[in-house]
């Protein structure tokens, strides 16, 4: 852990805090009190994710939040202000919702693994964030919901991520009732991987990140992309696709190095290019 901390660079202030710990980049939502996804925060997130996509130094991204709420989703006050626009807010609504959807796609398409670190409430697009990340670790007091139906605004974009993470009936239970579920139920639904006491949250997430960062970046990039692509295919097509991916992966430099290291009983030296 000391080696990681020695490389830490922090950029305090602003809606999005950026902290680089060696190969791990931590992005912390910092829009109190509810970490609402204002347009400015969404733009900051989009910019960071675009930058990290081509980074050779960053191998894992952690998305966390300051305060007692992970994220309450879109900034409803900001959206409501734009109802006074000449088009009733249509252009701004489209811009904000589209940008949020694009960010979820960026998370899925990043070559790096993305881990959500949740301590508190994740609601609406905040819950969508959690469902969009590759892994999610939360505290035992965290809660989750898609409450749009309660205010006449069905959580349609969060639905996309949620129905691809939880079972459809479980996702629809959340979407149709708008009720809040606890951390244990979220784990049962498949929304989070692990539940930990608050005092161990950072430690557990850092361990996940460290383990993943030690793997071949090439293999992680290939595998993450393949996982999401095959999930949308029929079974036969998925196997055909995966066979091709695995053959190409076998021919890659890191696979040759990793297998050679395993057989030679030594540590592999991954290709960082």
């Amino acid at each position: 852990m000391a080696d990681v901390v020695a490389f830490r660079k922090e950029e305090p202030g602003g809606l999005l805090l950026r902290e680089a710990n060696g190969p791990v980049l931590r992005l912390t939502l910092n829009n109190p009190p509810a970490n609402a996804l204002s347009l400015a925060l969404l733009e900051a997130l989009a910019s960071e994710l675009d930058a990290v996509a081509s980074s050779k130094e960053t191998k894992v991204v952690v998305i966390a939040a300051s305060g007692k709420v992970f994220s309450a989703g879109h900034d409803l006050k900001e959206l409501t202000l734009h109802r006074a626009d000449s088009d009733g807010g249509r252009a701004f609504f489209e811009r904000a919702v589209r940008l949020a959807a694009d960010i979820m796609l960026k998370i899925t398409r990043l070559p790096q693994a993305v881990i959500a670190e949740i301590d508190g409430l994740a609601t609406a697009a905040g819950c969508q964030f959690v469902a969009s990340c590759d892994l999610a670790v939360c505290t035992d007091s965290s809660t989750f919901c898609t409450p749009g139906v309660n205010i006449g605004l069905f959580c349609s974009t969060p639905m996309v991520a949620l129905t691809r993470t939880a079972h459809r009936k479980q996702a629809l239970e959340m979407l149709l009732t708008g009720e809040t579920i606890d951390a244990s139920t979220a784990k049962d639904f498949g929304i989070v991987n692990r539940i930990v006491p608050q005092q161990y949250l950072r430690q557990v997430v850092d361990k996940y990140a460290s383990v993943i960062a030690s793997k071949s970046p090439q293999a992680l990039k290939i595998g993450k992309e393949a996982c999401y692509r095959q999930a949308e295919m029929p079974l036969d097509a998925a196997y055909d696709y995966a066979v091709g991916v695995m053959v190409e992966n076998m021919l890659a430099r890191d696979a040759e190095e990793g297998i050679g290291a395993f057989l030679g009983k030594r540590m592999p030296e991954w290709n960082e290019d």
Side-chain angles (χ1 to χ4, degrees):
M1 215 33 218
D3 291 337
V4 172
V5 174
F7 288 97
R8 176 173 297 176
K9 296 180 181 178
E10 297 185 3
E11 296 180 8
L15 292 171
L16 184 66
L17 306 183
R18 184 183 190 280
E19 180 183 317
N21 298 334
V24 180
L25 174 64
R26 173 177 289 265
L27 300 176
T28 302
L29 308 181
N30 188 44
N31 189 20
N35 288 313
L37 300 176
S38 64
L39 188 65
L41 177 52
L42 289 171
E43 289 174 340
L45 271 165
S47 178
E48 283 290 347
L49 295 176
D50 284 341
V52 78
S54 58
S55 171
K56 295 180 180 178
E57 291 76 28
T58 301
K59 298 180 180 178
V60 180
V61 177
V62 175
I63 297 180
S66 58
K68 298 180 179 180
V69 177
F70 177 78
S71 176
H74 285 286
D75 190 332
L76 296 181
K77 290 183 180 179
E78 182 179 59
L79 293 173
T80 298
L81 285 174
H82 284 273
R83 290 192 182 278
D85 295 351
S86 59
D87 62 353
R90 176 181 292 274
F92 186 84
F93 300 163
E94 169 69 24
R95 183 180 175 191
V97 176
R98 169 56 61 188
L99 182 53
D102 287 347
I103 286 171
M104 306 308 161
L105 286 171
K106 289 178 192 293
I107 289 171
T108 301
R109 292 171 180 170
L110 274 184
Q112 299 91 344
V114 183
I115 306 173
E117 179 183 295
I118 309 102
D119 180 22
L121 174 66
T123 179
C127 188
Q128 181 183 4
F129 250 116
V130 176
S132 297
C133 291
D134 304 313
L135 301 176
V137 181
C138 73
T139 59
D140 45 18
S141 59
S142 294
T143 52
F144 305 82
C145 67
T146 50
V149 69
N150 297 331
I151 58 171
L153 181 65
F154 197 84
C155 285
S156 298
T157 45
M159 171 187 69
V160 175
L162 199 59
T163 55
R164 284 163 170 75
T165 300
H167 189 280
R168 183 175 299 174
K169 289 189 185 300
Q170 294 167 330
L172 280 169
E173 177 182 332
M174 295 179 67
L175 292 161
L176 294 174
T177 67
E179 293 182 351
T180 301
I181 62 171
D182 60 17
S184 179
T185 304
K187 186 172 186 296
D188 289 342
F189 282 10
I191 299 170
V192 299
N193 297 84
R194 292 281 302 276
I195 304 169
V196 298
Q198 185 180 45
Q199 63 268 34
Y200 298 123
L201 179 62
R202 174 80 185 246
Q203 180 181 341
V204 171
V205 171
D206 283 349
K207 182 175 181 181
Y208 264 112
S210 177
V211 168
I212 295 170
S214 71
K215 311 303 181 186
S216 158
Q218 190 176 52
L220 291 174
K221 178 181 179 180
I222 292 169
K224 176 175 171 176
E225 179 183 1
C227 180
Y228 284 107
R229 288 190 64 181
Q230 65 80 30
E232 303 304 317
M233 298 178 182
L235 186 61
D236 289 354
Y239 270 116
D240 287 342
Y241 167 70
V243 166
V245 170
M246 193 145 189
V247 169
E248 292 302 318
N249 195 170
M250 278 290 291
L251 293 169
R253 186 265 180 196
D254 271 7
E256 181 180 2
E257 165 63 16
I259 293 170
F262 176 77
L263 295 176
K265 298 184 181 347
R266 60 177 176 81
M267 292 298 293
E269 296 181 9
W270 304 126
N271 181 15
E272 301 297 333
D273 295 330

